Amino acid sequence: MPPLPGMPGGRPSELVGKEVASYLVEREIGRGGMAVVYRARDLRLDRTVALKLLAPELARNDTFRKRFTHESRVAASIDHPHIVPVFEAGETDGLLYIAMRYVAGQDLRVLLDRMGPLPAVAAGRIAAQVASALDAAHAHDLVHRDVKPGNILVAEGTDSDHPEHVYLTDFGLTKKSLSLTGFTTVGQFVGTLDYVAPEQISGRPVDGRCDVYSLGCVVFETLAGGPPFKRDDDMALLWAHQFDPAPPLTVERPDLPQAVDDVMARALAKSPDDRYDSCGEFVTALRAATAAAYAGPGEGRRPAAAVAGHGTLPPHGTTPPPDPPRWALPVFPGLAGPGRQ
């Protein structure tokens, strides 16, 4: 079968304006090595959806097709505010597809590329929402296995206390926990190299602590501007995940307390037994450690970027507000750091 127009190996524009499984394709909004995502119109319910079409060769793999169908149905059954709802998953004309809620906004990858390292408070809010989604999936015996900035969607929040609403997506390509065979070919792992857990690389059984490691890599990048391991080639990167200790985060962010390094070291431990038991436990420890940076003189170092913006992500092209004047410091507890008395 030749590449379907619009899929990897085809031209994306050829699917625009065409109907796929009762969805009218409107425009491409993203693509990766295995799939292309389109904005589409559900012709039956007259609503906008995100339609992910998987590469045709995946549909020809019986084990992958069975795994995809099973786990898409499980993912669709999870009702959680930080998981992108899956409306439908199926196969049409030899093509696997997933129809999901269309989320207006940007993914974390785009946000980091545009803004660089985020304020600690904002990074903590985003991580907490992702952790909540992952722990909910783990409760349904699903392990995501591909937690990365591109799978974290950041939409506009509801108010100043919740400036962003985060969704985790791509649950149709997960793997059932503690299974080496099942629907997955032995030796195959799903994941992105910058964020892949050591047990995925070596083909060992995985559970929710695999996602703890990947979330740790993502959190490291949101705070440092890059993933924990940077190597010249893929083999060196895989080796680093399995054997090299993670660098201290405070090398890149000296404004953060040393306690953050201990939290990150546990999240990025090589053995799952040495990590946090859940993503929520990890993020709770992280936020407690970073909170010391706002505790006042003698209790932690002050992250200037987070304080200047009060942990809020500024709109594109704007400048964070300046620090308050000395006379206003009593109104802003925790900002009277060294040299500001």
Side-chain angles (χ1 to χ4, degrees):
M1 180 186 298
L4 185 76
M7 299 306 300
R11 288 178 293 178
S13 60
E14 294 184 21
L15 266 187
V16 173
K18 294 189 168 51
E19 184 178 334
V20 176
S22 300
Y23 298 96
L24 180 64
V25 177
E26 296 179 343
R27 62 182 176 89
E28 181 182 336
I29 56 177
R31 67 166 47 215
M34 293 194 300
V36 181
V37 183
Y38 297 92
R39 172 174 165 155
R41 195 73 187 168
D42 185 340
L43 298 176
R44 293 162 295 185
L45 298 177
D46 192 28
R47 63 180 173 183
T48 299
V49 302
L51 183 68
K52 169 172 276 193
L53 304 180
L54 276 65
E57 57 267 25
L58 295 177
R60 295 196 293 269
N61 184 310
D62 288 339
T63 56
F64 182 91
R65 187 172 62 251
K66 291 175 183 177
R67 178 169 67 85
F68 168 84
T69 301
H70 168 74
E71 295 192 355
S72 293
R73 288 174 178 171
V74 175
S77 71
I78 302 176
D79 182 15
H80 190 274
H82 298 296
I83 294 178
V84 174
V86 174
F87 298 142
E88 183 182 14
E91 182 178 358
T92 179
D93 297 327
L95 183 69
L96 296 173
Y97 69 91
I98 313 174
M100 302 168 285
R101 174 184 291 171
Y102 176 77
V103 177
Q106 58 192 338
D107 62 49
L108 185 58
R109 171 80 280 139
V110 173
L111 187 66
L112 293 176
D113 289 345
R114 176 166 66 86
M115 296 185 61
L118 301 184
V121 172
R125 281 197 310 265
I126 291 172
Q129 295 177 64
V130 176
S132 176
L134 287 169
D135 286 345
H138 299 161
H140 286 76
D141 199 27
L142 279 182
V143 181
H144 192 285
R145 287 175 38 112
D146 196 18
V147 180
K148 61 183 180 181
N151 282 336
I152 298 170
L153 308 181
V154 183
E156 184 177 355
T158 55
D159 51 54
S160 59
D161 291 331
H162 306 88
E164 66 279 307
H165 189 97
V166 175
Y167 295 92
L168 184 63
T169 188
D170 232 358
F171 273 94
L173 298 176
T174 60
K175 181 174 185 285
K176 191 175 177 64
S177 65
L178 297 174
S179 173
L180 273 176
T181 53
F183 297 145
T184 303
T185 303
V186 175
Q188 175 188 15
F189 72 84
V190 176
T192 303
L193 295 190
D194 282 332
Y195 317 97
V196 66
E199 58 269 31
Q200 290 176 257
I201 299 170
S202 61
R204 288 173 286 161
V206 301
D207 59 19
R209 294 169 297 180
C210 160
D211 289 337
V212 172
Y213 183 94
S214 297
L215 180 59
C217 292
V218 170
V219 168
F220 190 104
E221 183 169 359
T222 64
L223 291 169
F229 299 108
K230 301 174 185 178
R231 299 296 186 268
D232 293 335
D233 58 67
D234 290 348
M235 290 304 297
L237 183 54
L238 292 173
W239 176 274
H241 278 296
Q242 293 189 87
F243 302 109
D244 293 349
L249 178 59
T250 54
V251 171
E252 302 293 336
R253 287 289 297 267
D255 52 291
L256 295 176
Q258 295 289 343
V260 172
D261 289 336
D262 296 333
V263 173
M264 295 305 302
R266 184 175 174 186
L268 298 176
K270 304 305 179 186
S271 170
D273 292 338
D274 295 331
R275 294 178 206 145
Y276 294 99
D277 290 330
S278 70
C279 294
E281 185 183 358
F282 159 47
V283 174
T284 297
L286 175 73
R287 299 180 88 177
T290 56
Y294 306 94
E299 299 183 52
R301 289 171 289 178
R302 184 175 66 94
V307 171
H310 304 289
T312 302
L313 302 179
H316 181 45
T318 64
T319 302
D323 288 347
R326 292 189 59 168
W327 53 262
L329 288 178
V331 184
F332 295 90
L335 298 194
R340 302 195 57 181
Q341 300 299 313

